[in-house]
Amino acid sequence: MRSLRRLRVLTTGLATGLALTLVSACGALDEGGETDSGAEGGTTVKIGYLHTIAVDDKLWLGQVDGQWADHGLDLEVTEFATGIELSQALAGGSLDVAIMGGVTSNFPAQGQGQIFMLNSIENATARLWAAPGSGIKSAADLEGKTVVTTEGTTADIFLHRALTEAGVDRKDVDVVNAKMPDAVQAFVGGSADAIALWVPFDLRVQEAMPDAVEIDDAGNYPDAAVGDGWIANNDWYADNEDTVRTIIDAWLDVNDDFREDPEGSLETVHAEAYEGAATLEDLQYQVQSQTDYTAEEWLAAYEDGTVLDVVGTAEQAYVELGGVPEYVEPSEFFDTSLFIEQAKAHLE
């Protein structure tokens, strides 16, 4: 309660000079309105998404370059602020498909949605920063300290893995939950000894607190990687296999273009969807911490079970954190066969 009181005071009283209107891997942006994209008179698909480059890059490039329309898809897209709100809308039937971040391994494991495709893999987007004078040099030094993060996110999974590896019981750490922009304000304002965040929020920390030190990142923990995925409403998925296959086909075309010209594609996505929300430099920095494969590489990752392993390790972290009641084999809520079949046809 001590740290929570500090956080309330800080977030209501701090000057808002930090440039925190940024992309967030698990939804720290405000919910936006609906946007239409695709073929007029085509198959309508209602899609919700979180506005972060690892989640919605292919969505926006396909909108600009027309791959969705080329495949006869008329997308009605709606931005959501958090994965929880997005999952609720998907389970309630107001969406056909949701594109999520770390919660890809959470709600589908509890029967709320079917994963049919990963969009990217976040390997080192999560980072741990310590305040100057805190005496924190590694995760082992977090015992008895105050750490601010956004619970249930990529950063929280990383924090959990780092504490476990260091032999520190989470109960012995004062973990404060806040939306990431508020968490950064709390940290730079002196209300927390450390912060577990995701890029590009580390850039905001560096700008506001030059003496802060990055002491660890998720890249040091292979089981801290998370898959950002495309998830369908259960009933809609059961009745619309052909449309799911069409979405995969269109996505593969978009992905080809992205991999052929990643720099130009990112510039296109920034101009279409991120001006005013993040700088191009922020996005360029952010994508360095995620994995994006070619169609051939994605196919191999599906066939050898890599994508299931990524989803499963993140799910296990949610189980250990109490967010998922029990572990469910990812193959029960992630049918990789459709992507494998479409990718093989795409590569012929």
Side-chain angles (χ1 to χ4, degrees):
M1 292 302 296
R2 169 176 51 86
S3 55
L4 285 172
R5 285 196 295 270
R6 290 202 307 268
L7 182 59
R8 291 194 194 99
V9 172
L10 180 63
T11 55
T12 55
L14 263 182
T16 57
L18 294 175
L20 292 174
T21 53
L22 286 174
V23 190
S24 70
C26 291
L29 294 179
D30 291 335
E31 183 176 340
E34 292 187 359
T35 303
D36 293 333
S37 164
E40 185 175 349
T43 301
T44 299
V45 183
K46 295 176 290 184
I47 295 182
Y49 68 97
L50 299 180
H51 197 29
T52 176
I53 200 65
V55 172
D56 67 356
D57 54 356
K58 314 302 186 306
L59 175 68
W60 292 112
L61 187 63
Q63 176 176 348
V64 176
D65 289 350
Q67 290 90 344
W68 306 120
D70 290 344
H71 285 268
L73 296 170
D74 180 13
L75 305 189
E76 295 180 358
V77 300
T78 305
E79 179 187 340
F80 283 78
T82 69
I84 293 176
E85 294 169 351
L86 181 51
S87 296
Q88 289 172 339
L90 184 69
S94 59
L95 296 174
D96 302 321
V97 175
I99 320 174
M100 304 181 188
V103 290
T104 296
S105 295
N106 187 325
F107 295 100
Q110 301 181 68
Q112 300 177 38
Q114 286 284 327
I115 306 171
F116 62 88
M117 180 168 61
L118 292 191
N119 196 71
S120 65
I121 297 173
E122 296 184 50
N123 302 102
T125 56
R127 311 290 174 89
L128 182 62
W129 283 74
S134 65
I136 300 171
K137 297 181 180 179
S138 71
D141 300 320
L142 294 177
E143 186 171 350
K145 302 291 187 178
T146 299
V147 183
V148 63
T149 192
T150 307
E151 292 182 352
T153 65
T154 302
D156 196 24
I157 290 175
F158 157 59
L159 176 62
H160 171 68
R161 294 302 188 202
L163 291 174
T164 301
E165 183 75 17
V168 176
D169 192 323
R170 188 182 178 103
K171 292 183 294 185
D172 295 327
V173 181
D174 185 12
V175 179
V176 178
N177 179 39
K179 290 185 177 181
M180 193 51 66
D182 296 336
V184 172
Q185 289 193 24
F187 177 68
V188 302
S191 292
D193 304 301
I195 182 172
L197 49 71
W198 55 81
V199 299
F201 283 103
D202 55 335
L203 299 180
R204 307 292 81 82
V205 167
Q206 286 179 292
E207 292 165 1
M209 186 183 282
D211 294 334
V213 179
E214 182 182 303
I215 60 172
D216 208 351
D217 71 71
N220 296 319
Y221 306 86
D223 56 357
V226 301
D228 302 317
W230 291 64
I231 298 112
N233 169 276
N234 290 329
D235 293 337
W236 184 88
Y237 182 80
D239 295 335
N240 292 274
E241 181 179 315
D242 288 345
T243 302
V244 173
R245 290 180 183 274
T246 302
I247 292 172
I248 294 171
D249 289 340
W251 185 94
L252 286 164
D253 286 346
V254 179
N255 189 66
D256 284 349
D257 290 347
F258 229 119
R259 302 280 59 79
E260 182 177 340
D261 183 16
E263 184 176 341
S265 296
L266 197 61
E267 290 173 356
T268 298
V269 171
H270 177 262
E272 174 68 16
Y274 281 93
E275 280 197 8
T279 67
L280 177 60
E281 291 73 21
D282 280 344
L283 300 188
Q284 291 168 334
Y285 174 71
Q286 191 170 351
V287 299
Q288 295 174 22
S289 300
Q290 66 191 53
T291 297
D292 294 286
Y293 292 135
T294 64
E296 293 88 344
E297 292 167 334
W298 274 119
L299 177 58
Y302 278 74
E303 290 186 317
D304 68 14
T306 296
V307 293
L308 293 176
D309 290 342
V310 170
V311 170
T313 54
E315 181 199 351
Q316 182 59 44
Y318 280 120
V319 172
E320 294 167 5
L321 288 166
V324 174
E326 60 181 357
Y327 184 82
V328 178
E329 288 294 334
S331 58
E332 295 189 23
F333 56 89
F334 185 178
D335 181 2
T336 58
S337 66
L338 297 187
F339 186 93
I340 290 172
E341 291 170 11
Q342 301 312 116
K344 285 182 175 179
H346 177 81
L347 292 168
E348 287 180 352

